Amino acid sequence: MSLGDERESSGGYGGTGQTRTRLPESSGDVYGGARRGGRSSSRSLVTVVGVVVLLIAAIAFANRGGDDSASTDGDENQPKSSTTAATGTRPVDGKSAGIPGGFARDEQGAASAAANYAVTLGSTGMFNAESRHGIVDTIYTSTAAAKLQNAMDQAYSADFLSKLGLDANGNAPEGSTFVSRTVPVGTKLEQHSQSRAKVSVWYMGLIGMSGQGSTDPVSSTWKTWTFDLQWLNGDWKITADTQKDGPAPVPGDDKAASSDEISKAIEEYGGFTYAR
C-alpha cells in the first residue's frame, strides 16, 4: 500500500510520515536490539519511495480526464462536515466477496462506504492480481475501473513486489507475515446529494514485513483519503480518490512489539465493517 500528496486510488499507503517508535531492549529479534530514531533504514526508505512513486504516478495517469466531481451545494470553498458520532444504524446487511456493499443512499451510507472502501484498498488483497481486479471492479464505477486495472497491474509488478519482500503473487516468505492495513479514525462528509458524494477518511495505515529475516518492520503512517462517490445500481461507487499526508499525532514512547507479537496480532485480530 502507498501514497503521496495527491494520489488517485491505490492498494497501498506506505510510508512517508512514519510514526517513530521506541524499540525493545531485547536482542535476537529483527525488531529489537536497538532504538530506532525518527529515520528508518535505507532499505525501508527505498521501499517507501518505490511504493509512492510507482503507485501515485500510475494511478494519477490512469485517472486523468476521469468523471466530473460531485456537484457542490453552496459555496465550494466552505465544504460541509459532519460528526463521526455513532448512530447505531447498521451500515450494510451483507458482503460480496468479503467487501461490504449495499450502503444507504444518505449521508451515513456515503461515509460508511468511504471508510469501508479505504479498508479494502489498504488490504493485502491489493497485492495479488486476481483479488485486486475483483476489488477494483466491485467498488469503482466501470469507467474508473477500466482506467485503473492496467495501471495497477504495471504498478504492482513482480519487481515492485520483490522490493516489499513478496513473490510475484503477493505472498510473503514462509515464516513471515506481510502486513498492510488501513484503520479509519473518522470520516468527514465534504459534499452530498442524491447522486454524488465526497467523503474524506482520516486513517492510520500499517505496512511492513513481520518476520525474523525482515529488514522492514511493520510501521505506521497517518493519511487522509478523499473519495468521490457516485450512486450507481443501488450502491455508492468510487469515481476518483486522492490522498494527502496527516494529520499525524505526536509519536508516543510505546515500545515496538517483536515480530512474533506482530504476526500473532495480525492473525488474531480481524477487521471491522465501519459505520459512521
Side-chain angles (χ1 to χ4, degrees), residues 65-234:
D67 295 345
D68 293 336
S69 59
S71 58
T72 305
D73 296 325
D75 185 356
E76 61 183 29
N77 293 321
Q78 296 293 328
K80 295 180 179 180
S81 63
S82 59
T83 65
T84 55
T87 64
T89 301
R90 184 180 178 86
V92 290
D93 294 325
K95 296 183 177 182
S96 175
I99 303 173
F103 295 95
R105 193 175 186 176
D106 56 19
E107 293 183 357
Q108 176 177 315
S112 296
N116 282 282
Y117 293 164
V119 171
T120 301
L121 289 168
S123 70
T124 56
M126 291 296 292
F127 294 82
N128 172 270
E130 183 176 355
S131 62
R132 180 174 64 252
H133 290 173
I135 289 171
V136 173
D137 284 338
T138 299
I139 66 178
Y140 284 85
T141 63
S142 58
T143 299
K147 295 178 180 179
L148 286 172
Q149 293 289 22
N150 184 57
M152 282 192 172
D153 286 344
Q154 294 182 46
Y156 287 95
S157 65
D159 180 62
F160 167 70
L161 295 175
S162 69
K163 293 177 181 178
L164 296 175
L166 305 172
D167 66 18
N169 293 316
N171 298 314
E174 185 176 355
S176 296
T177 302
F178 179 62
V179 181
S180 183
R181 285 195 183 186
T182 300
V183 185
V185 176
T187 61
K188 182 173 71 172
L189 190 70
E190 308 280 4
Q191 301 168 14
H192 177 264
S193 69
Q194 281 293 89
S195 60
R196 300 275 183 165
K198 175 174 285 193
V199 182
S200 293
V201 181
W202 179 34
Y203 75 89
M204 180 186 72
L206 299 175
I207 189 167
M209 186 74 72
S210 177
Q212 294 298 325
S214 173
T215 58
D216 294 303
V218 179
S219 59
S220 60
T221 183
W222 291 85
K223 302 283 182 180
T224 299
W225 207 334
T226 300
F227 296 92
D228 288 324
L229 304 173
Q230 178 181 353
W231 184 259
L232 189 65
N233 299 325

